[in-house]
Amino acid sequence: MDIVRAFRIVSIAEAVSFLVLLLIAMPLKYMADAPVGVQVMGPLHGVLFLAYVGMVFFVRENLRWSVGRTVLALGAGVLPVAPFLVEHFWARPSEAPARA
């Protein structure tokens, strides 16, 4: 599998896990006294977040990202929907690198 394609998949998975954690698991924990959602989604999201951060460093050269774009992509990992935007706008296949 191409590294850029793998990054796109990890990016989407990280963003979805973050949204599920915030919008489903956390309300269930605090409103319905059901902490199992956070117990499952928390570690899963943590692993996906670490994979996302690691993948940013693997794809930055392939996608010809500047240092600024790399820092923005790393910062996007801490915002709930930003990895969707990174995947959609900045993670182009290696045949057609994204513009800086």
Side-chain angles (χ1 to χ4, degrees):
M1 178 184 292
D2 180 29
I3 190 74
V4 175
R5 181 172 167 80
F7 171 71
R8 294 179 81 174
I9 292 168
V10 168
S11 181
I12 292 169
E14 192 274 339
V16 169
S17 74
F18 199 1
L19 290 174
V20 168
L21 184 63
L22 289 176
L23 301 176
I24 297 172
M26 293 291 287
L28 282 174
K29 178 180 179 178
Y30 292 108
M31 291 184 218
D33 197 30
V36 71
V38 173
Q39 292 170 346
V40 171
M41 285 308 299
L44 179 61
H45 170 67
V47 168
L48 288 169
F49 174 77
L50 292 174
Y52 174 83
V53 169
M55 294 289 288
V56 165
F57 290 108
F58 283 120
V59 300
R60 71 177 295 268
E61 191 173 314
N62 195 341
L63 294 172
R64 300 180 185 155
W65 285 352
S66 65
V67 172
R69 181 166 282 188
T70 302
V71 169
L72 287 173
L74 289 169
V78 299
L79 301 172
V81 295
F84 287 125
L85 301 174
V86 170
E87 182 274 329
H88 183 74
F89 292 109
W90 292 350
R92 302 283 182 228
S94 52
E95 297 83 38
R99 285 182 262 155

